[in-house]
Amino acid sequence: MHTNDLTALKSWFEAYCVSFSTPVAEDQRNITIKQAHTHEVCKNALRIARALRLDNRQALLAETIALFHDVGRFSQYRQYKTFDDTISVNHAALGAKVLLENNVLRDLPKHDQDMVVRSVTMHNVYALPEGLDESSLLFARLIRDADKLDILRVVIEYFGQDAGSRAEAVALGLPDAPGYSPAVLASLQRGEMARKADLATQNDFKLLLLAWLYDLNFAASLHMVRERDYIQKLAATLPRNEEIAHVVDRVREYVQGKLNVS
Ligand SMILES: [Fe+2]
């Protein structure tokens, strides 16, 4: 694919977003946040692609995947008024359907079309399937890192805002209760990703995001975590106690350790 293909796809995406505009302020905030998220994920993807020294065609493909990774979020929100897949629809599968039904990728080579659809579909799975070919694995890992990095930004910004100006769907409708779940904490203590099914409070969601750092694939992604101070910023929103301090330290040491050997 070429630069002008990406330019045309970006125009399609902007027009698609506009088609979901609504006069309902809360709904518009949730739509706008996903549009802005997409732009930031594109930037993250490009930065990782450059750090990996991918060639121009591969970098364009990585950015295209980033552009469309959450294209399913718009109709998901319009129909269900939530970003919680567990009570609505798998937004990644829906995104692939949107791309195919609208024939959005028709001008790309077939191989690139398939790669975009496959990467969009896999961007939100808990773990990637075994046996992926080298190229599919690269693009799937890249979008997963680029996406996680920006979700950290979105959530940190969300918790920094007053209740009245928040895009409420960001916190998945979880209650802002003081506690957190033992299962989520245990995942972090084991150095593993937490499961969405275990989330019961907003604190669980924050802990889940911290646990995502164990799943980042590239040194460039860890550099961005450190550079943007995501661990500290997220930790500052969590309850202050020894258990939490311990898992935060553990994640921080993990990131630091990975950066030291990269
Ligand atoms: Fe997503």
Side-chain angles (χ1 to χ4, degrees):
M1 68 177 290
H2 305 283
T3 308
N4 53 352
D5 293 318
L6 179 58
T7 308
L9 293 172
K10 282 182 175 172
S11 303
W12 182 89
F13 179 76
E14 294 310 317
Y16 185 72
C17 292
V18 169
S19 75
F20 286 85
S21 295
T22 158
V24 181
E26 169 60 19
D27 292 345
Q28 186 59 45
R29 273 204 292 274
N30 287 317
I31 295 295
T32 303
I33 215 156
K34 283 298 172 193
Q35 194 175 359
H37 165 65
T38 295
H39 295 151
E40 295 303 315
V41 174
C42 285
K43 287 190 213 162
N44 290 343
L46 201 52
R47 179 153 165 199
I48 298 169
R50 298 276 178 248
L52 294 173
R53 301 190 190 288
L54 301 189
D55 65 29
N56 208 32
R57 191 196 71 83
Q58 288 178 308
L60 284 168
L61 197 50
E63 204 180 339
T64 304
I65 292 163
L67 180 68
F68 292 130
H69 82 284
D70 262 357
V71 73
R73 285 297 193 190
F74 301 92
S75 51
Q76 176 189 39
Y77 189 81
R78 182 154 70 189
Q79 192 173 351
Y80 301 97
K81 297 282 184 279
T82 181
F83 293 139
D84 185 350
D85 287 14
T86 62
I87 57 166
S88 57
V89 64
N90 177 350
H91 75 278
L94 181 59
K97 194 165 157 241
V98 168
L99 294 176
L100 294 171
E101 280 179 354
N102 293 285
N103 210 4
V104 179
L105 306 169
R106 61 187 173 273
D107 292 333
L108 301 190
K110 181 74 173 80
H111 174 270
D112 291 351
Q113 293 186 26
D114 292 345
M115 191 61 81
V116 173
V117 172
R118 200 176 312 133
S119 307
V120 168
T121 307
M122 290 190 297
H123 90 269
N124 68 336
V125 296
Y126 180 78
L128 289 171
E130 299 280 319
L132 289 175
D133 64 89
E134 202 182 322
S135 205
S136 300
L137 191 60
L138 169 70
F139 288 107
R141 285 179 165 166
L142 202 155
I143 184 56
R144 288 162 67 84
D145 276 21
D147 187 26
K148 286 187 173 82
L149 285 166
D150 195 61
I151 294 174
L152 282 160
R153 174 193 66 80
V154 169
V155 173
I156 290 165
E157 285 181 9
Y158 172 90
F159 287 109
Q161 287 165 341
D162 315 325
S165 50
R166 289 174 171 176
E168 285 301 334
V170 166
L172 303 178
L174 291 164
D176 187 9
Y180 46 90
S181 304
V184 178
L185 191 78
S187 303
L188 266 158
Q189 284 165 337
R190 287 195 302 270
E192 288 173 9
M193 283 220 295
R195 298 210 173 247
K196 285 210 170 121
D198 290 327
L199 302 185
T201 68
Q202 291 187 4
N203 284 328
D204 290 340
F205 184 46
K206 297 169 194 170
L207 291 170
L208 171 124
L209 297 188
L210 270 184
W212 273 0
L213 301 182
Y214 290 122
D215 194 49
L216 290 177
N217 297 293
F218 302 113
S221 311
L222 295 161
H223 273 289
M224 285 187 254
V225 167
R226 188 170 61 180
E227 189 181 293
R228 300 170 183 178
D229 208 13
Y230 285 154
I231 297 176
Q232 191 47 44
K233 286 178 180 165
L234 199 57
T237 71
L238 279 162
R240 280 167 215 280
N241 65 42
E242 219 168 291
E243 250 177 1
I244 297 283
H246 181 76
V247 294
V248 169
D249 281 347
R250 179 160 183 183
V251 172
R252 194 182 285 117
E253 280 160 22
Y254 169 84
V255 169
Q256 201 50 50
K258 282 275 187 184
L259 284 172
N260 288 343
V261 295
S262 73

